[in-house]
Structure formats: structure tokens, C-alpha cells
Amino acid sequence: TVNIPSGVTIANAGTATGFGGANTPFFIAYRSGTQTGVSGNTWTDIVHNAEDADLSSAYDTSTGRFTPQTAGYYQINLTAMARDFGGSSTQSLQQVMYGIFKNTETDPRSTNFIDLSTDELTRFVPTVSTVIQLNGSTDYVVSKVYIVGNSGSVHGERQYTNFSGFRLIT
């Protein structure tokens, strides 16, 4: 059984109208240059300060917030790389978390965490993805990093640190 939505037409040639739609608003942002001053043992906003795309001007490169003005469910993605600058010239990490947050929540909606105990990692580039419902007026999402121990920085290159999102068509 196939349910055809009201207002949809299907021609004899197999062409259709009234299906699908645009996955807008959407954005693709990245970190250009290193973000320094990331304190240890606290969630710090990652400000992706440059954009590849932002069709509806919903992403703010000065705050790192995506505030779409269209209600719906959104696929949000984060890839990031942080470094620990605790006095070591190797710039290594033992524990780091990356998260996607909605509004002023204190806990992330989705996170990626690595704990190497006493081992050290010189580079860790995780991807975090989630689906979040946003109200289309005041809700926003941000990406954050949590470095356990020493302060650090977020590495700024498009292929290592980027943030994107789009509305899902339902």
C-alpha cells in the first residue's frame, strides 16, 4: 500500500511533484586559525569562525551558535581537534571530550570521549553527530570541548575542526 500525500501529482511518465523539499536552513562552518585559551576541566565553546555555507544566515561566526528560524529536527555534526599545552613540547592529550549542546544545557546532547589513562595521544579528531529538535525562534546549538587537566587550544584547519547542520525533511 502506498499513501500519496494530499496535493501530490504523479504523471504517467513517472515524474512527480509535491515530494521532498529543501533541507534548509543549513550551515557548514570551520575553525580558521587556532582557538587558544581553552581552560582545563571545563566545557569551552568552540567558535568555528569561518563558513563554507550558511544559506539562511543562521550560524554566527563570532559566537559559534546555530540559531535556525525554522522549527524542526536538525542533524548536527561536529569534528574537532584539541591540544593540551600543559608545559609539554609534545602537545599531547590524555583525556578530552567534544560535545554538541542545546541552549544553556550543562550536559551535552551528544559527546565523544577518550581516556588514555597514562598514555598520551598527540592528535585525536573525533566526529560527534546527533539529531536535535529546535523551536525555530530561540533554540540554538553550540559545540564545546572539555580538556581534562591542563589548558589547551582547538586546532584550526577546515579538515580537522568543523561544525555543520541541516533541517531534516519529515
Side-chain angles (χ1 to χ4, degrees), residues 31 33-40 44-47 80-86 91-93 96-98 122-124 145-147 150-156 161:
R31 179 73 210 169
T34 300
Q35 178 178 329
T36 59
V38 176
S39 298
T44 303
D45 288 1
I46 301 172
V47 179
M81 182 172 71
R83 291 182 173 176
D84 172 354
F85 288 100
Q91 303 172 359
S92 61
L93 291 168
V96 64
M97 290 183 280
Y98 299 92
T122 57
R123 295 188 193 263
F124 172 57
V145 62
Y146 188 109
I147 299 174
N150 299 312
S151 62
S153 66
V154 175
H155 190 65
T161 303

Side-chain angles (χ1 to χ4, degrees), residues 2-112:
V2 175
N3 292 323
I4 299 175
S6 175
V8 172
T9 61
I10 301 176
N12 288 339
T15 60
T17 62
F19 289 98
N23 294 89
T24 59
F26 70 88
F27 75 101
I28 304 167
Y30 61 95
R31 179 73 210 169
S32 174
T34 300
Q35 178 178 329
T36 59
V38 176
S39 298
N41 301 316
T42 187
W43 283 107
T44 303
D45 288 1
I46 301 172
V47 179
H48 298 84
N49 59 352
E51 297 174 323
D52 282 328
D54 186 5
L55 186 64
S56 300
S57 299
Y59 182 78
D60 186 333
T61 58
S62 65
T63 64
R65 289 183 177 185
F66 174 58
T67 311
Q69 298 304 301
T70 303
Y73 287 89
Y74 286 81
Q75 171 73 43
I76 305 296
N77 312 293
L78 164 66
T79 300
M81 182 172 71
R83 291 182 173 176
D84 172 354
F85 288 100
S88 171
S89 61
T90 61
Q91 303 172 359
S92 61
L93 291 168
Q94 291 178 334
Q95 296 179 37
V96 64
M97 290 183 280
Y98 299 92
I100 297 171
F101 288 74
K102 179 179 177 181
N103 301 331
T104 58
E105 293 174 344
T106 56
D107 292 320
R109 288 293 176 110
S110 189
T111 188
N112 193 319

